[in-house]
Amino acid sequence: MFDDFFVRAVIGGIGVALVAGPLGCFIIWRKLAYFGDTLSHSALLGVALALLFEVNVTLAVFVVSVAVSLMLVFLQRRASLSSDALLGLLAHSALAVGLVTLAFMTWVRVDLMGFLFGDILSITTFDLAIIWGGGMSVLVVLMVIWRALFAATVSYELALAEGAKPDHVNIIFMILMAGVIAVSLKIVGVLLITALLIIPAATARRLSSSPEQMAFFAILIGVISVWFGLFGSLELDTPAGPSIVVAALICFILSLMPVPLGLFRNNGQNQRGADNNAGVTIDDR
């Protein structure tokens, strides 16, 4: 079965969707879209260092993403700049350093478009093992810290009162984000990773009445986006990674369409209440 490149692409894309959905929900609740963008931009620096030191690309991207996350925490405590200014500084600096490093490595031929926009059709069996192994590890950890992480999202003080150690949980969340960025790189590339995290979760908001339900729908919409995006790419001869994001965008647009009265009568109110309670940003830390 794994001899077919298209089958590997579908299985790899579904593996990423399974883990990107729940984490994307926390990005929506915490209003951290720019943080996801920062980590995805830093991925290119990880690619450059992997090629320079001849190490595994996924491992290098993960290490660099974790380093950028910890650097953000350090700068928040030492610098007088706002979080969005720090995120912009880190995102563009990491991207620029990565591009300059690649430019100096004249002895290496780099498929820059593949890293920027993904090359899901070139996934190997080893890549599948990394995607599913890393993704399932992230999901297991997320399930363990789900209650504490959601408490920290709703209220920092509430999490402290429950003994959840929100600072530690937030760092674990950043590490999980770094893991998802690393395993997603080959699927949709540096520039589209954040879209795969945010769009399915944003679509799931309208269909959900609880945090757990929103996470489930985000996974389902991600899987649907991968399926239709890849088949659309095959039929229309379009780039696979961007096609997946376009399929996710179509799902989001469809979710905005009018629905039969009463179908989601309580969902909108309940989800708005959850989002209002979970509106904690990095600044609140």
Side-chain angles (χ1 to χ4, degrees):
M1 180 179 70
F2 295 117
D3 292 336
D4 191 330
F5 74 94
F6 192 78
V7 173
R8 292 196 300 269
V10 171
I11 295 174
I14 291 175
V16 172
L18 289 175
V19 67
L23 281 179
C25 292
F26 279 102
I27 291 177
I28 295 292
W29 294 330
R30 290 173 165 238
K31 303 176 184 177
L32 292 179
Y34 205 6
F35 173 67
D37 228 20
T38 299
L39 291 189
S40 64
H41 280 63
S42 68
L44 195 61
L45 176 58
V47 171
L49 294 179
L51 296 175
L52 181 63
F53 295 106
E54 298 182 352
V55 296
N56 181 267
V57 172
T58 302
L59 177 62
V61 170
F62 175 73
V63 171
V64 170
S65 298
V66 170
V68 170
S69 300
L70 297 179
M71 190 179 301
L72 173 63
V73 174
F74 173 80
L75 290 176
Q76 281 180 318
R77 297 177 179 177
R78 298 298 179 91
S80 58
L81 295 174
S82 62
S83 291
D84 60 340
L86 290 174
L87 287 169
L89 184 152
L90 290 173
H92 300 298
S93 298
L95 180 62
V97 172
L99 288 171
V100 170
T101 303
L102 288 173
F104 277 113
M105 298 167 58
T106 56
W107 63 92
V108 177
R109 294 189 62 183
V110 180
D111 180 15
L112 193 58
M113 293 296 290
F115 286 120
L116 291 177
F117 297 103
D119 192 11
I120 188 173
L121 297 179
S122 68
I123 283 181
T124 64
T125 305
F126 179 71
D127 292 329
L128 286 180
I130 292 178
I131 291 169
W132 278 86
M136 292 305 102
S137 299
V138 169
L139 276 182
V140 169
V141 175
L142 183 61
M143 290 173 62
V144 171
I145 69 169
W146 178 275
R147 182 179 178 85
L149 182 59
F150 189 76
T153 302
V154 172
S155 170
Y156 184 85
E157 291 73 19
L158 175 63
L160 282 176
E162 292 185 351
K165 297 181 179 179
D167 290 328
H168 295 170
V169 171
N170 291 334
I171 291 176
I172 294 174
F173 172 71
M174 291 181 176
I175 294 175
L176 295 182
M177 280 287 297
V180 172
I181 297 295
V183 300
S184 303
L185 179 64
K186 202 163 187 178
I187 304 294
V188 289
V190 169
L191 299 181
L192 300 177
I193 289 175
T194 311
L196 196 61
L197 285 164
I198 293 175
I199 298 178
T203 306
R205 283 185 58 187
R206 181 168 170 79
L207 310 176
S208 310
S209 59
S210 68
E212 292 78 11
Q213 197 176 73
M214 180 171 166
F216 171 77
F217 278 120
I219 292 174
L220 181 61
I221 293 164
V223 171
I224 292 173
S225 301
V226 168
W227 183 267
F228 282 99
L230 284 175
F231 275 95
S233 171
L234 184 65
E235 292 295 327
L236 303 175
D237 194 25
T238 56
S243 296
I244 292 173
V245 177
V246 170
L249 175 62
I250 293 173
C251 291
F252 175 73
I253 293 173
L254 291 175
S255 75
L256 300 178
M257 298 297 179
V259 295
L261 184 62
L263 182 59
F264 300 113
R265 180 174 295 170
N266 298 322
N267 292 4
Q269 182 179 356
N270 293 342
Q271 190 59 47
R272 281 195 297 272
D275 287 344
N276 289 336
N277 289 333
V280 182
T281 63
I282 294 179
D283 283 330
D284 297 323
R285 304 291 185 271

